[in-house]
Amino acid sequence: EVQLVVSGGGLVQAGGSLRLSCAASGITFDDYAWAWFRQAPGKEREGVTRIGSGVGNPYYADSAKGRFTSYSDRGKNTVYLQMNNLKREDTAVYYCAAAFPSSIATMSEWAYDYWGQGTQVTVSS
């Protein structure tokens, strides 16, 4: 059984940092591309970033560039999202997702096979 367990959300002041984790089990980690999505209240879910061993360059949404970094620890089968200089508009539920194969180059939700449960990130002013 494939499981993606997301942790690390919480309440942070604007300008602060958080690191989200997505621990994967039951999956061959390097075979998949790994993405982070988020859904703010009243808005559609949007793609934030995507990495993978088959991905030439990581993808970052414009809103994430320069502030967010996604990276993985293959030894721990874990993907991280380091978020710095957080803004109120970053408030959302954050999800990690995995898509096969690792070279996939889309942020379309339908392409992602497995999803974590989501974690709430709230940024206060």
Side-chain angles (χ1 to χ4, degrees):
E1 179 187 6
V2 177
Q3 285 191 319
L4 305 183
V5 179
V6 181
S7 60
L11 175 64
V12 63
Q13 287 190 327
S17 298
L18 278 177
R19 189 181 76 164
L20 307 183
S21 301
C22 174
S25 60
I27 195 170
T28 303
F29 191 84
D30 284 348
D31 286 349
Y32 288 78
W34 296 90
W36 289 93
F37 291 80
R38 69 183 182 185
Q39 188 167 20
K43 295 187 177 180
E44 293 186 353
R45 190 154 55 184
E46 64 174 353
V48 178
T49 180
R50 180 186 70 246
I51 63 170
S53 61
V55 174
N57 292 309
Y59 165 85
Y60 288 93
D62 287 343
S63 58
K65 289 178 182 176
R67 300 187 300 123
F68 294 5
T69 302
S70 184
Y71 60 97
S72 65
D73 183 335
R74 295 175 181 176
K76 294 182 178 180
N77 277 11
T78 299
V79 180
Y80 301 94
L81 181 64
Q82 177 67 45
M83 303 185 293
N84 299 326
N85 190 22
L86 283 160
K87 304 176 181 180
R88 288 191 64 186
E89 52 264 42
D90 295 318
T91 295
V93 177
Y94 284 72
Y95 302 85
C96 73
F100 180 87
S102 63
S103 58
I104 202 164
T106 179
M107 294 303 290
S108 296
E109 294 183 34
W110 59 264
Y112 287 80
D113 305 289
Y114 303 106
W115 291 80
Q117 82 279 15
T119 187
Q120 177 70 47
V121 171
T122 302
V123 183
S124 64
S125 58

